[in-house]
Amino acid sequence: MSCTRFLAALVRANSSTVRIIQISSGRCRSSVTSTTPKEEKEQPIDECTMVAAEPVEVINQTTKGANTQVNKIHIDFENTQDVYKSKGNIELLRSLLVFKLCTIDVLVDKNKELMELSKKLLGQWIFEKLMKMTFYGQFVAGEDHNSIKPLIEKNRAFGVGAVLDYSVEEDLTQEEAEKKEMDSCVSEAEKESPDTDHREKKYKAHRQFGDRRGGVISARTYFYADEAKCDKQMETLLNCIEASGGASADGFSAIKLTALGRPHFLLQFSEVLVKWRRFFSFLAAQQGKSEMRVLEQKLELEQLKESLTKLGVGSKDDIENWFMGEKLVVSGMIDLLDWNSLINDTTKISNLLMVPNLETGQLEPLLNKFTAEEERQMKRMLQRMDILANHAIHNGVRLMVDAEQTYFQPAISRLTLEMQRKFNREKPVIFNTYQCYLKEAYDNVTVDVELSRREGWYFGAKLVRGAYMYQERARAKEIGYEDPINPDYETTNMMYHKCLYYVLEEIQHRRKANVMVASHNEDTVKFTLEKMNEMDLSPTDNNVYFGQLLGMCDQISFPLGQAGFPVYKYVPYGPVNEVIPYLSRRAQENRGFMKGSQRERSLLWKELKRRLLGGQIFYKPVY
């Protein structure tokens, strides 16, 4: 359904009533299988692990039977002649210079100040030339959708596609960012009566964490100003989609939902979704099923009706009506996906964002009221999502919805899932992002995969470790709620590989699943290749992708692309002055893994010396 129609299930125009999305249910199930990955050294989650890699054999075609001859691809991540054949000598020297500068603490810590000082001393023209010779040239493709085409075409010639990402950000002071966040994340009802709602502190705005850029080095940040600003950002994303469609036939475009509307809706909706899922867990515990995996928790219907009646959630007749679905009546059982389908616009549960209070057993409104303008803001956010998705379809582009903070993410994931239900019927167009440093990552992946199987649409996932670890941990500790992040890097690695293996199993069984392994971690790439080999998954099936940032880890991207794997670079672009915040983050991120390993620099030196000794002083890539 369109986002305009979807809104009808979310906002009741004539009564200021917000409704929750309905998910239809089926009864098929999938098995849950995990694996134990190789151990890796603990380190900050946002950094890359660079390890010496042995050549990896990967199948080039699926095995049809025991006697079938399998052609295998040999990938050597150490063959610098193949790794860097798309790079001229000047590009190799630039990479060496930039990576070396990223290891100097004072330059990285003061990088924004130094860039501003350089601009004043050198003038705008010389400053831009200097940046294009160094950091900008390394990590940014160009200033606009026309200037980036040569780089995209060159990478495509060497087997590497693009995820376009317009990386311009507002350069706000901390005080300005905090003010914007508080203005945009607090509803009128909360401002008028701050102590009368039933909000949880995790899902409320807090000024000390209002600047969402704090402690984040791998993700851009949007702050809400007004609806006109959101429209402008949507136009920018529409242009990005057109640029992606014009540059390649199989590209992606990245979007963030906080760019498309006022974020207080994401906070409120996230809290509602979390509370209803928590209520299901509470009811499962009452039936002695709390130790089961989330999709194995099937509640007995008659016992559930009895529990809800005793809790005072609704009258006996209301509860009977909620469970009148034919499949529920036949099975006599209800699982989490069936439970989600009950949250719709035909029941009292949805009125005024009603949520269960586990202490009293009563349903309570999350907020006392919504203003007409707040309802319009919700509607506009959903409409902008719909416009972007339709534009992507029209231009033959896939949308990658980026993950954000945990207090926004439940709503972001649910809205993305609704887009997948509509647009992923024929092929995977909309991809959701799963942050595997979260304790609940595996449950989130398995529940969404199961829903896609029941309803018959294509599941699309990008798996990342996560970008908000330091900020999330500090916020949880300061405000007083459970830390949502895994305790250490090893646990996050295990979670990443467990989620990945689950999706690979779906692909192995020829189900409608697609995954992008978005990682600079060479061990994770090797793990993926080994599992694809074991499962007889072919790279030419185009349902397992790899992704890295432009200017980083080319020794992973290009060997994979040249071996026939779908691999993509996240390609940022924008005017020099306006991408300085992005460049600042890239410098900080590179400091971490460049200090931890000399591998990428050693490979660059090896290839440069090979060319110089071989007389290739003026080497230029041919394609």
Side-chain angles (χ1 to χ4, degrees), residues 247-389:
S248 64
D250 60 349
F252 287 87
S253 187
I255 66 172
K256 275 202 167 187
L257 293 198
T258 49
L260 301 179
R262 187 176 172 187
H264 86 105
F265 166 55
L266 298 177
L267 282 174
Q268 294 158 356
F269 192 30
S270 290
E271 185 172 356
V272 169
L273 294 171
V274 168
K275 283 186 172 179
W276 275 103
R277 182 161 176 171
R278 195 182 298 158
F279 191 36
F280 178 85
S281 299
F282 168 77
L283 295 169
Q286 285 192 332
Q287 295 193 14
K289 300 179 180 181
S290 59
E291 299 302 317
M292 295 180 177
R293 293 185 186 276
V294 64
L295 283 177
E296 295 172 352
Q297 293 177 345
K298 290 187 174 182
L299 307 185
E300 296 177 13
L301 194 53
E302 291 305 316
Q303 190 175 342
L304 175 60
K305 291 178 184 178
E306 211 172 292
S307 297
L308 292 173
T309 303
K310 287 180 179 178
L311 286 170
V313 172
S315 68
K316 189 173 181 180
D317 289 340
D318 285 333
I319 294 170
E320 286 288 342
N321 290 332
W322 295 344
F323 298 102
M324 284 301 291
E326 181 181 348
K327 293 175 183 175
L328 293 177
V329 172
V330 171
S331 69
M333 306 290 284
I334 179 171
D335 67 8
L336 181 61
L337 295 180
D338 300 322
W339 178 258
N340 286 341
S341 73
L342 302 177
I343 305 173
N344 60 51
D345 61 340
T346 66
T347 72
K348 293 196 302 184
I349 291 177
S350 64
N351 293 341
L352 294 174
L353 283 177
M354 299 294 285
V355 294
N357 185 324
L358 298 186
E359 294 180 1
T360 65
Q362 301 297 311
L363 289 177
E364 300 171 341
L366 190 69
L367 292 172
N368 291 330
K369 64 179 180 179
F370 281 86
T371 67
E373 176 56 26
E374 285 171 340
E375 290 186 9
R376 285 192 290 268
Q377 289 167 356
M378 293 181 214
K379 180 177 180 180
R380 292 185 195 117
M381 174 184 275
L382 301 173
Q383 287 174 332
R384 292 179 188 114
M385 291 168 58
D386 196 66
I387 289 169
L388 289 173

Side-chain angles (χ1 to χ4, degrees), residues 50-70:
M50 312 302 298
V51 296
E54 297 297 327
V56 178
E57 291 186 343
V58 185
I59 64 169
N60 191 32
Q61 61 185 35
T62 57
T63 304
K64 304 301 182 184
N67 299 321
T68 303
Q69 182 65 37
V70 178

Side-chain angles (χ1 to χ4, degrees), residues 9-188:
L10 199 67
V11 178
R12 187 181 315 216
N14 62 356
S15 62
S16 299
T17 300
V18 178
R19 301 173 177 177
I20 309 303
I21 309 151
Q22 178 177 6
I23 298 182
S24 62
S25 62
R27 302 306 303 164
C28 64
R29 289 188 53 78
S30 62
S31 60
V32 177
T33 307
S34 63
T35 186
T36 303
K38 297 179 181 179
E39 292 186 1
E40 298 183 46
K41 292 184 179 179
E42 183 176 339
Q43 64 176 355
I45 290 175
D46 292 321
E47 297 174 6
C48 296
T49 299
M50 312 302 298
V51 296
E54 297 297 327
V56 178
E57 291 186 343
V58 185
I59 64 169
N60 191 32
Q61 61 185 35
T62 57
T63 304
K64 304 301 182 184
N67 299 321
T68 303
Q69 182 65 37
V70 178
N71 295 326
K72 293 186 177 181
I73 297 175
H74 298 266
I75 299 181
D76 184 356
F77 294 116
E78 304 243 8
N79 186 337
T80 60
Q81 185 171 355
D82 287 339
V83 167
Y84 297 115
K85 67 182 181 180
S86 67
K87 308 290 183 185
N89 290 346
I90 297 298
E91 291 175 283
L92 297 185
L93 286 168
R94 181 186 65 200
S95 296
L96 283 165
L97 172 63
V98 169
F99 291 153
K100 177 62 179 176
L101 292 175
C102 287
T103 65
I104 303 173
D105 287 335
V106 66
L107 294 181
V108 176
D109 292 334
K110 301 293 184 182
N111 69 84
K112 287 187 72 174
E113 293 88 340
L114 289 171
M115 282 190 278
E116 291 298 329
L117 179 61
S118 299
K119 191 192 306 182
K120 290 178 182 178
L121 294 177
L122 301 175
Q124 183 65 34
W125 188 83
I126 297 178
F127 171 75
E128 289 190 8
K129 289 292 183 184
L130 180 64
M131 292 302 295
K132 289 178 179 179
M133 291 170 60
T134 53
F135 288 94
Y136 183 94
Q138 181 71 20
F139 300 122
V140 182
E143 299 203 44
D144 54 41
H145 60 276
N146 288 319
S147 62
I148 65 177
K149 286 183 179 179
L151 176 64
I152 293 174
E153 289 170 358
K154 183 177 80 167
N155 285 352
R156 182 75 266 174
F158 291 95
V160 176
V163 181
L164 290 196
D165 186 10
Y166 191 70
S167 296
V168 168
E169 295 178 27
E170 213 174 349
D171 195 8
L172 302 173
T173 66
Q174 181 177 335
E175 185 179 354
E176 290 170 334
E178 290 173 353
K179 184 179 186 306
K180 285 196 171 188
E181 187 74 352
M182 296 305 294
D183 288 344
S184 63
C185 288
V186 181
S187 70
E188 291 303 316

Side-chain angles (χ1 to χ4, degrees), residues 210-271:
D211 187 352
R212 287 182 276 112
R213 300 168 300 182
V216 178
I217 61 174
S218 299
R220 67 199 184 285
T221 304
Y222 292 97
F223 292 96
Y224 179 85
D226 50 40
E227 293 299 296
K229 181 72 175 291
C230 292
D231 286 335
K232 183 178 179 182
Q233 287 170 168
M234 182 189 70
E235 289 297 328
T236 298
L237 293 171
L238 290 172
N239 292 334
C240 185
I241 290 170
E242 288 182 13
S244 183
S248 64
D250 60 349
F252 287 87
S253 187
I255 66 172
K256 275 202 167 187
L257 293 198
T258 49
L260 301 179
R262 187 176 172 187
H264 86 105
F265 166 55
L266 298 177
L267 282 174
Q268 294 158 356
F269 192 30
S270 290
E271 185 172 356

